[in-house]
Amino acid sequence: MNNRYYYSLCTALLLTQACTSQQENITDRPTQATAAYLDSSGREDEFSGGARMITISTPKGDYKVWTKRVGNNPRMKVLLLHGGPGGTHEAFECFDSYLPKEGIEYYYYDQLGSHYSDQPNDTSLWNTQRFVEEVEQVRQALGLDENNFYLLGHSWGGILAMEYALQHQDKMKGMIISNMMSSVPAYNAYAEEVLGPQMPPEVLAEVKQIEAKGDFSNPRYMELLLPNFYTKHALRMPVEQWPDPVNRMFNHMNQTVYVQMQGPSEFGIRGNASLKNWDRSGDLPKIKIPTLTIGGEHDTMDPKHMEWMAGQVQNGTYLYCPEGSHMAMYDDQKRYFNGLVNFIKDVDNAQPKN
């Protein structure tokens, strides 16, 4: 081979490799939007990776609640209200697989009494209005406002979101009520008339017998409910396949808060539970902000009622999850998050840009 030709060929190959390598490096770099989303420079919570304890005032003194921010977006910020009452943010951890790639900022938050926050023993703190006041203090501390603040409440969190919106919707950009009805009496009727009869008669009879005795600590109660109720209406997969975040949430449930407000039964809210008569169905037309309701076909809550709710608020949308149960964010996950992301972005696109 001619030496001159050989050297020219080598030079061309080296230049090609260098260009290819440079092109790959450019391609691998985060986009400007991604870089901005991941940049926590100058944020109060930069040192702790987004985690932050917020001091709240209550009639019984000051306490701290745990929050954690994920991402940066000045126009789309979602505060997550977990279920229970007395549950934790952990069940929401699947949001990490969907919201960051859409550039949506969101906040995990354990309400007072929940695992990552202070857990005072004073039972007078466990009432809906006190929780509403807590959410308002958290909102202020996080700097959320009507230009960016979306509130997502799941199950009990949905009750809390509705109560908050009825008092503070002027500070909100949008609301998502996930898997929660607007009336506990209507929920009780659905559990009694629809969900109960779906169980084998002999199982339902034994469950009712245990409940009539108030023997809720009997291992047989959960032995009956797990295969005949939970895996059909709470999370539709075998218990041994339940995701780790869900198991941790259940393990960390504050039973004192849960039983006081929700009661010990899994068939509705009864007994001395403080939420037994809660009903905001007649107040839904007062809600003006864009609102998404989410219901699953196999939910513990009536999906038709949740569709009806979307028609009662002034600017409502309904997301139906045909494969979903009460935790549709897991058992109808892609449909759930596609609908959630579209709602948030539609509301954002409808708002005039500054």
Side-chain angles (χ1 to χ4, degrees):
M1 179 181 290
N2 182 289
N3 284 344
R4 183 178 297 173
Y5 177 75
Y6 175 75
Y7 290 133
S8 298
L9 179 60
C10 287
T11 301
L13 287 172
L14 287 170
L15 286 172
T16 301
Q17 289 173 355
C19 289
T20 301
S21 176
Q22 186 179 26
Q23 190 173 34
E24 287 174 352
N25 288 338
I26 292 172
T27 303
D28 289 343
R29 290 175 192 160
T31 64
Q32 186 174 357
T34 301
Y37 181 81
L38 297 173
D39 185 9
S40 293
S41 301
R43 297 291 293 254
E44 183 177 345
D45 56 20
E46 177 185 3
F47 180 74
S48 58
R52 184 179 164 198
M53 297 296 286
I54 293 173
T55 300
I56 59 163
S57 298
T58 78
K60 297 304 177 71
D62 291 351
Y63 297 100
K64 293 185 180 296
V65 296
W66 180 92
T67 66
K68 178 176 169 61
R69 175 186 54 81
V70 180
N72 296 279
N73 189 316
R75 297 181 59 85
M76 294 182 286
K77 303 174 184 286
V78 185
L79 180 64
L80 303 173
L81 301 181
H82 61 69
T88 74
H89 75 280
E90 291 158 307
F92 286 130
E93 287 178 8
C94 58
F95 282 53
D96 289 348
S97 296
Y98 294 89
L99 297 196
K101 65 184 178 184
E102 301 293 343
I104 298 171
E105 179 179 327
Y106 55 106
Y107 290 81
Y108 293 124
Y109 157 40
D110 266 21
Q111 299 152 29
L112 185 65
S114 293
H115 187 71
Y116 288 75
S117 297
D118 285 349
Q119 300 171 38
N121 293 321
D122 193 328
T123 57
S124 68
L125 294 168
W126 315 135
N127 65 82
T128 303
Q129 182 55 37
R130 212 277 316 153
F131 275 111
V132 169
E133 293 163 2
E134 175 184 320
V135 173
E136 172 59 5
Q137 292 181 59
V138 169
R139 179 198 68 81
Q140 292 179 27
L142 295 176
L144 312 178
D145 60 36
E146 68 277 8
N147 297 309
N148 54 41
F149 176 34
Y150 297 81
L151 188 61
L152 185 154
H154 175 258
S155 194
W156 143 253
I159 291 179
L160 184 52
M162 284 181 259
E163 289 288 340
Y164 180 87
L166 287 167
Q167 297 179 48
H168 299 290
Q169 62 181 310
D170 59 314
K171 298 152 186 166
M172 301 170 68
K173 187 172 182 177
M175 175 170 61
I176 301 96
I177 303 168
S178 178
N179 309 89
M180 187 63 223
M181 297 166 64
S182 62
S183 165
V184 167
Y187 160 54
N188 285 343
Y190 185 71
E192 183 71 26
E193 298 167 10
V194 178
L195 299 183
Q198 293 180 22
M199 299 174 69
E202 66 278 8
V203 171
L204 180 59
E206 189 173 355
V207 167
K208 285 184 171 292
Q209 186 179 42
I210 292 173
E211 292 198 341
K213 294 179 180 178
D215 192 14
F216 294 102
S217 61
N218 187 332
R220 179 64 176 162
Y221 188 59
M222 292 306 297
E223 184 181 320
L224 292 167
L225 289 179
L226 279 173
N228 294 289
F229 185 77
Y230 278 94
T231 58
K232 296 185 183 302
H233 301 293
L235 179 52
R236 288 176 64 80
M237 57 182 66
V239 174
E240 60 273 13
Q241 295 178 20
W242 280 16
D244 175 65
V246 174
N247 290 328
R248 280 187 280 115
M249 182 273 292
F250 278 118
N251 288 337
H252 293 154
M253 182 78 69
N254 186 323
Q255 291 296 330
T256 299
V257 181
Y258 182 85
V259 172
Q260 179 174 323
M261 299 186 72
Q262 146 81 29
S265 173
E266 295 304 326
F267 283 96
I269 299 177
R270 297 185 170 83
N272 295 322
S274 62
L275 291 172
K276 181 174 66 173
N277 298 315
W278 181 85
D279 189 340
R280 284 293 197 172
S281 296
D283 294 316
L284 292 178
K286 298 176 183 176
I287 298 177
K288 303 175 182 179
I289 56 173
T291 300
L292 175 68
T293 64
I294 305 175
E297 174 63 29
H298 308 283
D299 208 326
T300 55
M301 303 288 162
D302 182 0
K304 292 294 184 184
H305 181 98
M306 289 178 280
E307 181 178 19
W308 172 84
M309 289 166 59
Q312 293 299 298
V313 297
Q314 294 186 31
N315 187 3
T317 305
Y318 178 58
L319 173 59
Y320 171 61
C321 296
E323 303 299 324
S325 67
H326 196 53
M327 302 196 76
M329 70 276 285
Y330 285 99
D331 48 27
D332 206 349
Q333 192 170 85
K334 294 191 182 303
R335 187 176 283 108
Y336 182 99
F337 282 102
N338 184 60
L340 173 61
V341 168
N342 286 342
F343 169 77
I344 292 172
K345 291 192 171 183
D346 285 348
V347 173
D348 182 63
N349 289 333
Q351 184 184 44
K353 303 295 188 284
N354 294 327

